[in-house]
Amino acid sequence: MSSEGEQNQDCLGWAARDVSGYLSPYKFGRRAVGNDDVSLKITHCGVCYADVVCTRNKFGNSKYPVVPGHEIVGVVKEVGSNVDGFKGGDVVGVGTYVNSCRDCDNCNRDLQVHCSKGSVFTFDAIDVDGTITKGGYSTYTVVHQRYCFMIPKDYPAALAAPLLCAGITVYSPMIRHKMNQAGKSLGVIGLGGLGHLAVKFGKAFGLNVTVFSTSMSKKEEALIKLGADKFVISSDQQQMTALANSLDFIIDTAAGDHPFDPYMSLLKTGGALVLVGAPSEIKLSPGSLIRGMKSISGSATGGIKETQEMLNLCATRKIYPEIEVIPIQYINEALERLIKKDVKYRFVIDIENSLK
């Protein structure tokens, strides 16, 4: 790949320079548009907990300066000579990865996010040309056409952003476990950026949805605003016991440590709990799995085909995330609020009108 664009420091972003995670303006270069590339002027970028993790070096491998952001929506301004799916003016999304080997079994099965050679994350990763990827807290980006998604016409760009990580993260395991069949019962642990979208997909699919939370303050939101059927305080043994063996599927979006055995007891025979949050450990009794043939598994975001299907479905069924739009200048406060879970339910940066 050409790296000529690296010489031209014409991309303005916001970056963290050290483990404080504090973001401030930063100029850098993007690569020149190759034959298979799409260049897009970024209009919006969703804020994900991954942005906190990488800017603050939580995993010990951050490559500063870090320009975060992997829920990117923008308008195509230039395409390479081989690009046939996109043209100037199209509204396009970019999600959590911007490259993969395109050759392994997983890539061939539309599981690019699980590329056996490692998918290239949208920011703070090493791309095939040796450069460090920089994310959507920036004015524009250049991405291979294969990793771009068409945002359906009339779907608001700001609302599309959270779908590219939070949305696909809950949609993918729901589809894999056939939880798009009306009448089934879904449990959702945690009502944040991911959880609220799991509830919305569940209701769109005609499921009976129960929300589990540690906070009574979420009750009205869950039942009235999001339309969940039941709301349960997970520490209330009586409420939990009343739901024994009643759920087909549980999607666990909680990031904090919590017990698993009480939730496993709520699953029907053959039921599954899928983990999309990241607690520090999973502890459960083997009997929780053995009795009732239950299973626990994990899930990341989804493949390219599946992500486009989700975007199309959200447009058709009018499934919209609940967002708070912010200017880039507010990002440090927004990340602090995200850590405190003080957002309903996803921040989206208005890049177009604030990053100048």
Side-chain angles (χ1 to χ4, degrees):
M1 288 187 188
S2 164
S3 59
E4 297 157 35
E6 290 292 342
Q7 314 316 314
N8 185 10
Q9 311 287 294
D10 65 341
C11 190
L12 177 59
W14 274 51
R17 287 12 181 247
D18 55 46
V19 296
S20 72
Y22 186 82
L23 291 148
S24 57
Y26 169 66
K27 279 196 161 173
F28 63 100
R30 295 282 190 191
R31 70 166 185 261
V33 178
N35 293 340
D36 295 298
D37 287 337
V38 174
S39 172
L40 55 140
K41 175 179 182 274
I42 298 172
T43 61
H44 298 87
C45 185
V47 178
C48 175
Y49 198 76
D51 303 347
V52 173
V53 169
C54 290
T55 54
R56 300 188 181 202
N57 199 24
K58 299 280 192 194
F59 291 155
N61 58 0
S62 297
K63 294 166 274 298
Y64 294 105
V66 174
V67 178
H70 63 195
E71 296 181 340
I72 301 167
V73 176
V75 178
V76 176
K77 58 178 191 175
E78 189 185 343
V79 299
S81 55
N82 295 341
V83 175
D84 50 11
F86 304 97
K87 62 184 188 312
D90 284 343
V91 181
V92 166
V94 177
T96 59
Y97 52 96
V98 289
N99 226 326
S100 62
C101 78
R102 304 172 211 160
D103 196 35
C104 69
D105 186 45
N106 284 341
C107 282
N108 287 328
R109 287 165 53 212
D110 189 48
L111 294 169
Q112 297 86 353
V113 66
H114 301 294
C115 173
S116 57
K117 291 176 186 165
S119 60
V120 176
F121 295 136
T122 302
F123 67 90
D124 197 35
I126 299 169
D127 208 343
V128 292
D129 61 356
T131 58
I132 308 295
T133 57
K134 295 184 169 54
Y137 292 18
S138 56
T139 46
Y140 81 99
T141 190
V142 178
V143 181
H144 189 288
Q145 62 174 330
R146 190 178 297 220
Y147 307 93
C148 295
F149 306 101
M150 188 68 80
I151 304 300
K153 207 169 167 43
D154 301 329
Y155 197 93
L159 294 174
L163 299 176
L164 295 157
C165 173
I168 187 61
T169 298
V170 294
Y171 176 87
S172 180
M174 287 176 76
I175 297 299
R176 190 161 65 252
H177 288 267
K178 301 185 168 47
M179 286 303 293
N180 55 350
Q181 298 170 353
K184 285 188 172 181
S185 51
L186 167 72
V188 178
I189 303 174
L191 197 62
L194 277 70
H196 95 284
L197 279 165
V199 174
K200 285 182 181 255
F201 282 125
K203 294 314 296 176
F205 291 142
L207 308 181
N208 189 287
V209 180
T210 300
V211 170
F212 298 90
S213 178
T214 53
S215 169
M216 188 52 111
S217 64
K218 298 277 181 86
K219 183 173 183 177
E220 198 173 312
E221 291 274 330
L223 298 175
I224 295 163
K225 188 165 191 177
L226 300 174
D229 300 280
K230 288 193 200 80
F231 178 85
V232 171
I233 291 293
S234 52
S235 57
D236 186 324
Q237 198 134 15
Q238 207 174 348
Q239 288 186 45
M240 293 288 278
T241 307
L243 287 176
N245 309 308
S246 68
L247 302 175
D248 291 292
F249 186 71
I250 296 173
I251 191 153
D252 184 350
T253 74
D257 288 341
H258 57 283
F260 283 84
D261 289 311
Y263 290 110
M264 300 310 288
S265 71
L266 307 186
L267 290 168
K268 293 179 183 176
T269 300
L273 180 146
V274 168
L275 198 67
V276 293
S280 65
E281 64 173 4
I282 299 168
K283 281 174 88 166
L284 74 165
S285 148
S288 288
L289 300 180
I290 294 164
R291 285 189 296 273
M293 306 185 300
K294 295 168 186 179
S295 62
I296 184 167
S297 68
S299 195
T301 58
I304 291 166
K305 183 166 169 277
E306 191 173 51
T307 303
Q308 189 64 60
E309 282 169 6
M310 174 211 56
L311 289 166
N312 296 346
L313 174 90
C314 287
T316 307
R317 304 291 289 275
K318 297 189 163 40
I319 300 168
Y320 300 126
E322 304 290 325
I323 66 170
E324 181 178 331
V325 179
I326 59 165
I328 189 75
Q329 292 78 12
Y330 184 72
I331 189 56
N332 290 301
E333 290 90 337
L335 291 172
E336 287 298 333
R337 281 180 56 196
L338 179 59
I339 292 164
K340 293 177 189 144
K341 303 188 171 89
D342 174 25
V343 53
K344 294 201 173 78
Y345 282 98
R346 204 72 163 176
F347 286 117
V348 174
I349 307 167
D350 180 353
I351 297 286
E352 184 176 34
N353 293 309
S354 66
L355 183 51
K356 297 181 190 295

